[in-house]
Amino acid sequence: MIVAERLDPQPARLLVVEADGTMSDLPRAHLGALFDPGDLVVANDAATLPASLHGAHLRCGKAIEIRLAGWLSPSASVRFLAIAFGSGDHRTRTEDRLPPPALSSGDRLQLGPLEAVVERVLDHPRFFELSFQGTRAAVFAGLAQHGRPIQYAHVPEPLALWDVWTRIASQPVAFEAPSASFALDWRTLQVWRRREIGFATLTHAAGISSTGDPALDSRLPFDEPYHIPECTVAQVARAQLRGSRIIAIGTSVVRALEAAANRDGSVRAGDGIARGRIARGTPLRVVDAVLTGVHQPGESHFELLRAFADDGLLAGASAALTACRYRAHEFGDSMLLNRQPLLYRRGLPLRPHDHRSYPADGLGVYSDYRG
C-alpha cells in the first residue's frame, strides 16, 4: 500500500464493497450520495490527547518516551496504561525503537512539567500502569504543554494536535485519532441532512494502533471506554424500526455500538467498556456497514472487518485496494464495507439491500468476486 501524509494533495478515494461482492472505486467526495433516506450514520466525536511524552527515568537518568495507551478506569483521570520506549522519536520505525530503561514499581518519571510514578509493570517489560502526580486539571494542562500526538514513521514531519482532531472532535479521550472521521466534512453532513439521512455521534476512547512489539500488538485493542448519548440510542432505535441501515464511521463506533447492544439488537445508553476483539464469528447486532481506512490482514482493525464479510470478499477488496494504489494509514483513503447477507444479526438473516447506482464519474467497478 502507498502511505498517505497529512499534506498529500491527492483527492481521497473510496472503495465501496457491496454485500454481493461488487466493488466500486469512487472519489470520497461522493460519500454524501451513497446512503438512502432513513439510513443512520454514527461517528465517534472523541478528540485526541497529546499522548506521547518524552522525559527522563529519574532513577537512572536515561531518556524515555511514554505513550499513553488506555484508561485504567473511566473515573481514574490521572491513571493510565502506558507503553515505554527508549531514546529516539517517531522518525524511527516503532518496531525498531530502542528499549526503555528497566522499569520497576515505584520508579519516578519526569515528563516535562509532569511527574509520574510507575505503579506496576505488567506482563511485558514495556507495558505498565502509570499515575500522574497532581489533579486532573494539572495533568491535562501538562499534557497540553508538553505532550505530542502519538506518531509513526510514515509521516516524517511532526504532527500538531490539530492535525489529529477530526472536524467533529469533542471530549479529549482518545489516544490516537478516530481516523475514519477524517472522511467527514461539513458539505457531506449537509448533503445527508438534505437527503434525510440521519447523523449521530458517540464518544469512544480510541486506543493506539501499534506498540512496536508483536506480542503486545496481538492484544490490541485494549479495553476502551465509551459513552453513548440517549439521543443516539433513540436514533438507532428509529432506524431499526424502519428497517434502515446503520453505518458506523470507523471501527471504534462498531466496538461501542456492539458492546452496548442487547441480544435483540437494541442499544443501551450511557457509559461502558468495549472489551476484547471483534473478529470472524463475532455476532453483529447493530451495524450494517462500516466506513474504515485501508488496513492490512493481521491488524486488529482488519480482524474486525471479518465480522462483516468472509475472507474471500476481503481478499478481493484487498486486491482492489492494492491494484488501485489506495493510500493507507490515518490520512489515507477509505473503504465502505457492507455486511454480507449470509452473516446474521439478532438471530435472523439480514435483508439484502438493493444494488446502488453510483455517480457516472466513478472510477470503475470491480466484479471479479461475487459473494
Side-chain angles (χ1 to χ4, degrees):
M1 299 292 178
I2 300 169
V3 171
E5 297 186 21
R6 73 188 192 281
L7 299 179
D8 194 328
Q10 297 183 55
R13 296 162 69 188
L14 174 66
L15 184 73
V16 179
V17 183
E18 290 288 356
D20 67 357
T22 302
M23 302 180 197
S24 302
D25 176 11
L26 303 172
R28 196 166 70 192
H30 290 167
L31 183 62
L34 298 184
F35 308 134
D36 296 327
D39 286 348
L40 176 65
V41 178
V42 184
N44 183 1
D45 66 5
T48 309
L49 290 164
S52 168
L53 298 158
H54 287 262
H57 184 281
L58 293 180
R59 177 166 51 82
C60 66
K62 292 184 178 180
I64 194 169
E65 179 192 356
I66 301 304
R67 295 184 180 180
L68 306 180
W71 299 92
L72 277 175
S73 75
S75 60
S77 58
V78 299
R79 299 175 66 237
F80 298 87
L81 293 175
I83 306 291
F85 299 87
S87 60
D89 61 23
H90 71 275
R91 293 180 178 85
T92 300
R93 293 194 317 157
T94 308
E95 52 268 40
D96 296 332
R97 288 287 300 274
L98 293 173
L103 298 172
S104 301
S105 297
D107 284 354
R108 305 184 80 82
L109 310 174
Q110 191 67 48
L111 305 168
L114 294 172
E115 188 171 313
V117 175
V118 176
E119 291 194 356
R120 66 183 181 117
V121 180
L122 301 173
D123 53 354
H124 188 284
R126 291 174 43 217
F127 187 37
F128 63 103
E129 295 180 1
L130 174 82
S131 63
F132 287 105
Q133 306 300 292
T135 64
R136 174 188 172 90
V139 169
F140 272 68
L143 291 175
Q145 177 184 343
H146 182 66
R148 305 285 302 181
I150 291 175
Q151 186 172 351
Y152 300 96
H154 61 269
V155 179
E157 295 301 318
L159 293 171
L161 188 57
W162 53 80
D163 290 320
V164 295
W165 279 37
T166 68
R167 289 176 175 85
I168 61 169
S170 178
Q171 295 186 61
V173 297
F175 299 98
E176 291 187 17
S179 55
S181 289
F182 286 139
L184 301 179
D185 56 34
W186 303 123
R187 175 184 173 277
T188 298
L189 297 181
Q190 184 181 42
V191 170
W192 285 339
R193 183 173 184 176
R194 187 169 62 245
R195 297 185 59 235
E196 298 184 344
I197 294 164
F199 181 74
T201 61
L202 54 79
T203 306
H204 179 105
I208 61 174
S209 56
S210 175
T211 69
D213 182 275
L216 282 177
D217 282 351
S218 68
R219 307 180 195 179
L220 297 177
F222 300 136
D223 292 349
E224 295 167 346
Y226 62 82
H227 175 79
I228 304 179
E230 291 277 2
C231 58
T232 295
V233 167
Q235 287 179 270
V236 169
R238 287 194 294 269
Q240 290 173 330
L241 187 63
R242 289 190 299 265
S244 298
R245 290 188 304 166
I246 296 169
I247 299 101
I249 304 297
T251 58
S252 63
V253 174
V254 178
R255 294 196 76 213
L257 288 176
E258 297 298 336
N262 299 308
R263 291 184 65 84
D264 64 355
S266 60
V267 174
R268 300 181 298 275
D271 298 327
I273 304 288
R275 304 183 189 276
R277 282 191 175 190
I278 293 176
R280 180 181 180 183
T282 303
L284 298 178
R285 297 184 168 91
V286 181
V287 180
D288 298 295
V290 57
L291 181 78
T292 185
V294 175
H295 305 297
Q296 304 292 334
E299 297 174 351
S300 62
H301 294 78
F302 187 92
E303 289 300 301
L304 181 144
L305 302 182
R306 298 179 76 200
F308 286 82
D310 64 33
D311 289 348
L313 180 54
L314 291 177
S318 293
L321 291 167
T322 300
C324 292
R325 297 174 63 81
Y326 269 58
R327 299 166 300 164
H329 296 298
E330 66 269 40
F331 302 111
D333 298 310
S334 301
M335 177 174 69
L336 176 66
L337 178 63
N338 290 280
R339 174 108 64 87
Q340 285 183 278
L342 51 151
L343 300 178
Y344 287 75
R345 179 181 66 185
R346 295 189 286 273
L348 297 173
L350 293 179
R351 67 174 179 85
H353 292 277
D354 294 335
H355 180 71
R356 288 163 174 74
S357 58
Y358 294 109
D361 54 348
L363 304 181
V365 175
Y366 295 83
S367 56
D368 53 336
Y369 176 85
R370 297 293 182 192

